[in-house]
Amino acid sequence: QISTLLHMAQQGKSPDRFKVAVIGGGTGLPTVLRGLRPYTNSPTAVVAVTDTGSSSGRIRWNLGVQPPGDIRNALTALADPERVSKGLFNVFQHRFPNSEEESGIFKNDHIGNFLVAALTQQLGDFHAAIQTASEMLQVQGTIFPASIDNTDICAELENGEHRYTEWMVRKPDKPPIKRAYLVSNNDLIRELDHKKGPLHRITDPKTGQVEVHARAGRRTNLTQNQVEAPREAVQAITDADVVVIGPGSLFTSVITNLLVPNIQKALIDRDKGKTVYICNIITQPGQADDFKASDHLKAILNHFPEDRRHSVINHMFVQDLRIFQTPKSRAWRPLLKQYKKDGKILVECDAETLDALIPWTRADFVEEFHPDVMARGVGDFISHDPAKVADAICRIFCGLSVPDYWG
């Protein structure tokens, strides 16, 4: 880290001058944000806002506000622990136990989600709510929603079917996704309000999730991809020394942001710095079943105009799977065995295909093992190490080689 910081300083990019924009959501985006703290004083986070699952989904369906969950993750990642009240910081992160006996109707809900939702209702504007929450938490950096509009991600599957809302797009056991697109939440609700319309919703009694289904043989007239990102977010992408995309759920945390037209245009038109994609370590059933590293990249690029795909992303990071064959990684094996039962496998690095697509780096980016990982939920995955990823990002920017981080 010290060596990288020295090289950054030699290039005139001290922490107060190094501009980074991170695009993503879920747990991947805050991982990158935490790692970048030594290198930049004011990163920009452009955050996915199409979530309909779990706590965010319940708040969304009941209050009609944009989903706060991924925003909350970014707020806690950039909060200044030395300046913010410890009590406020802790309660903002508090999650009620995943048990009806202990939590009742608040099972698995985050206090931080309620706070952002409450601010949205009070201020009448989601972006203003994020700014106020940022002030409360003494956030170092700027957080933008990827869309100022209340929007949903949908997908066309390879068999021609369509899936509506984020929960249905990421739900496993369906044909592969052909393409994703965004629709207005208001338009979607309007379709659902027609009793005999093409769409209807049910609540899954096992998960409590609201599911949107299409009636057989019926077609919707939903306008696609007519949403807009905040102007400031677009400008931050344009001006950034480095734009980081991912890691995270391929369609619902990464591609969902890139479907916003002015975000996509800003990435295409970038004429400075680097744009780096961080590939996932584990495949995700429902979105990237059996995907190799190149498949992740192709899925992203396929949502850009064909004649501009070659220049959108300049570099890609891929996990070196050889680390999982060493004694150091023996502790991971029980978790990987469980993952395999759940249909989750390590993302294969198909080097020859990647060579033909993009400059890329293979290294050990995986987090250090901790026994707590065995207790993670079924929707959680092995994470990247924040320090390794951030160091590699800055070294690529400086034109330096990236170590393998095996030590």
Side-chain angles (χ1 to χ4, degrees):
Q1 189 180 83
I2 294 175
S3 170
T4 305
L5 284 166
L6 289 173
H7 279 96
M8 294 287 287
Q10 289 169 3
Q11 296 204 13
K13 294 299 179 181
S14 56
D16 61 329
R17 298 187 65 185
F18 185 45
K19 298 179 180 179
V20 185
V22 185
I23 303 174
T27 58
L29 175 122
T31 294
V32 177
L33 292 175
R34 285 194 296 270
L36 285 169
R37 293 185 78 133
Y39 302 95
T40 177
N41 293 338
S42 188
T44 297
V46 181
V47 187
V49 284
T50 50
D51 191 5
T52 57
S54 191
S55 176
S56 282
R58 288 191 290 273
I59 287 173
R60 211 173 170 196
W61 286 111
N62 286 287
L63 300 180
V65 300
Q66 288 171 273
D70 288 356
I71 295 291
R72 184 203 72 247
N73 284 336
L75 286 164
T76 54
L78 292 180
D80 186 344
E82 296 182 3
R83 296 172 62 202
V84 70
S85 158
K86 186 177 180 181
L88 174 61
F89 185 75
N90 288 340
V91 78
F92 189 84
Q93 295 189 95
H94 179 73
R95 188 172 197 161
F96 291 108
N98 190 21
S99 162
E100 288 189 11
E101 184 178 343
E102 296 180 83
S103 308
I105 62 171
F106 301 110
K107 181 179 75 170
N108 219 29
D109 279 325
H110 276 279
I111 291 292
N113 287 354
F114 289 127
L115 178 61
V116 175
L119 288 169
T120 303
Q121 286 194 332
Q122 287 183 348
L123 300 171
D125 181 82
F126 189 54
H127 188 194
I130 296 168
Q131 291 177 312
T132 301
S134 297
E135 293 167 5
M136 294 169 64
L137 293 170
Q138 301 290 326
V139 161
Q140 294 182 311
T142 310
I143 299 169
F144 296 107
S147 169
I148 58 177
D149 307 287
N150 195 351
T151 187
D152 286 283
I153 184 172
C154 305
E156 180 185 0
L157 308 183
E158 289 288 358
N159 67 351
E161 293 178 20
H162 288 253
R163 293 295 170 98
Y164 303 93
T165 74
E166 183 262 358
W167 171 253
M168 300 302 291
V169 170
R170 66 180 165 97
K171 195 174 181 182
D173 302 318
K174 65 178 183 296
I177 296 172
K178 180 179 180 180
R179 67 179 182 95
Y181 56 93
L182 300 176
V183 302
S184 162
N185 181 258
N186 287 336
D187 290 350
L188 189 69
I189 296 296
R190 196 176 298 118
E191 293 275 9
L192 288 168
D193 284 343
H194 291 301
K195 290 184 178 180
K196 295 184 179 180
L199 302 178
H200 66 103
R201 58 181 158 188
I202 63 171
T203 301
D204 187 321
K206 291 183 179 180
T207 63
Q209 292 287 161
V210 175
E211 298 189 348
V212 176
H213 292 268
R215 301 185 195 277
R218 303 291 299 277
R219 299 184 68 85
T220 66
N221 293 310
L222 296 168
T223 302
Q224 299 180 13
N225 298 333
Q226 287 196 2
V227 298
E228 187 176 352
R231 291 194 311 272
E232 302 93 332
V234 174
Q235 193 63 50
I237 292 169
T238 300
D239 294 342
D241 296 305
V242 178
V243 172
V244 183
I245 299 172
S249 298
L250 181 57
F251 285 89
T252 57
S253 288
V254 176
I255 290 174
T256 185
N257 307 298
L258 311 181
L259 298 172
V260 179
N262 53 344
I263 288 180
Q264 185 168 122
K265 185 176 186 303
L267 288 168
I268 290 172
D269 292 347
R270 270 175 58 78
D271 57 3
K272 60 175 286 188
K274 297 283 187 181
T275 300
V276 178
Y277 168 54
I278 304 172
C279 188
N280 295 341
I281 298 171
I282 299 288
T283 63
Q284 183 170 0
Q287 299 197 53
D289 297 83
D290 299 321
F291 269 29
K292 298 176 182 179
S294 67
D295 296 318
H296 286 77
L297 178 64
K298 289 176 183 176
I300 292 172
L301 297 180
N302 285 344
H303 287 83
F304 285 83
E306 187 171 359
D307 62 340
R308 303 306 297 271
R309 293 173 187 170
H310 66 282
S311 60
V312 173
I313 298 174
N314 310 123
H315 206 94
M316 179 175 174
F317 293 160
V318 181
Q319 172 63 31
D320 191 339
L321 300 188
R322 293 173 296 180
I323 195 68
F324 292 102
Q325 307 301 320
T326 66
K328 176 186 174 183
S329 66
R330 190 175 292 118
W332 286 108
R333 292 171 191 171
L335 183 63
L336 293 174
K337 187 176 180 180
Q338 181 58 51
Y339 276 3
K340 193 171 184 179
K341 292 179 182 178
D342 297 334
K344 300 184 286 192
I345 59 174
L346 292 166
V347 174
E348 180 184 337
C349 176
D350 49 338
E352 290 187 8
T353 305
L354 287 174
D355 285 342
L357 290 172
I358 194 172
W360 61 283
T361 295
R362 172 168 51 188
D364 175 28
F365 297 112
V366 75
E367 63 183 320
E368 292 299 315
F369 179 84
H370 190 278
D372 287 351
V373 301
M374 301 302 296
R376 289 178 183 170
V378 68
D380 293 319
F381 300 84
I382 294 176
S383 297
H384 291 76
D385 182 284
K388 294 176 184 177
V389 166
D391 183 70
I393 290 167
C394 294
R395 293 184 72 84
I396 290 297
F397 172 75
C398 291
L400 303 171
S401 61
V402 176
D404 59 27
Y405 301 118
W406 276 43

